[in-house]
Amino acid sequence: MRSWAILLGGLLVWAAHFFALYGIGEFAGASGGSRAYVLVLSALALLFDGLLARRLLPLARADDFTRWRTGVALGGIAVSALAVVWQALPALIA
């Protein structure tokens, strides 16, 4: 179970961010307050991604399976961070 949590940690952050932004878009509309919520949620998601990456980096010097698992998890975190920025960008530009 721990391996799944490590592998999917970044993608779970992305999913939570996506659903939160969907809720903001559905219920708050395109107001100035909703843009502030998007900014705060995106910053929190990027912070969580950074914390996950920081926690996984020391595991990169372990045995082969742990190195593989850490590499895949860091790739998922990178995808998550890119997706969070990509999803928040339209709300922050408009």
Side-chain angles (χ1 to χ4, degrees):
M1 194 66 174
R2 177 178 158 92
S3 290
W4 284 110
I6 289 172
L7 288 170
L8 297 175
L11 300 177
L12 291 173
V13 170
W14 175 22
H17 179 262
F18 176 81
F19 287 120
L21 288 188
Y22 186 83
I24 289 171
E26 184 69 27
F27 299 114
S31 65
S34 64
R35 288 192 182 108
Y37 286 135
V38 168
L39 180 63
V40 168
L41 283 173
S42 299
L44 284 174
L46 291 173
L47 176 72
F48 283 128
D49 279 339
L51 291 174
L52 284 172
R54 184 172 166 234
R55 188 162 184 199
L56 288 175
L57 283 178
L59 297 177
R61 295 184 280 281
D63 61 339
D64 290 337
F65 173 71
T66 305
R67 270 199 318 264
W68 173 83
R69 182 180 64 183
T70 303
V72 171
L74 289 173
I77 291 169
V79 168
S80 170
L82 180 65
V84 165
V85 170
W86 191 258
Q87 287 171 343
L89 201 57
L92 299 177
I93 289 176

